[in-house]
């Protein structure tokens, strides 16, 4: 089975510390991003094991503060699955 492991750096310079992160995925070229995690991810890493061979995916990550408010999205990262 294929999987994608994403890692990122915690945001710096923000007045509110990140309590966790939300990870979103879309098929490459689509703007329909779907939330992958059911609750905020506490570590700065996430493994997506639901990818399919021959597909290409775009990912973004958003930090979440203690009140559940999301920050700005990260840059888009595209991953092609062989």
């Amino acid at each position: 089975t294929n999987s994608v492991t994403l890692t990122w750096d915690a945001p710096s310079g923000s007045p509110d510390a990140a309590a966790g992160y939300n990870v979103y995925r879309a098929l490459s070229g689509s703007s329909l991003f779907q939330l992958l995690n059911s609750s905020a991810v506490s570590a700065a890493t996430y493994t997506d094991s639901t990818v399919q061979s021959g597909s290409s995916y775009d990912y973004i990550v958003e930090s979440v503060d203690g009140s559940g408010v999301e920050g700005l999205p990260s840059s888009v990262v595209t991953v092609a699955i062989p």
Side-chain angles (χ1 to χ4, degrees):
T1 58
N2 293 311
S3 65
V4 172
T5 299
L6 304 168
T7 58
W8 56 89
D9 294 324
S12 60
S14 173
D16 295 321
Y21 304 92
N22 285 333
V23 181
Y24 293 88
R25 181 186 75 190
L27 286 172
S28 288
S30 170
S31 60
L32 301 174
F33 282 88
Q34 295 182 326
L35 179 64
L36 295 179
N37 48 296
S38 56
S39 60
V41 176
S42 58
T45 185
Y46 181 84
T47 299
D48 179 7
S49 57
T50 62
V51 295
Q52 296 183 357
S53 293
S55 295
S56 185
Y57 299 97
D58 293 339
Y59 291 91
I60 57 171
V61 176
E62 295 185 3
S63 62
V64 181
D65 70 13
S67 301
V69 177
E70 289 185 323
L72 295 174
S74 67
S75 298
V76 174
V77 173
T78 301
V79 179
I81 309 302

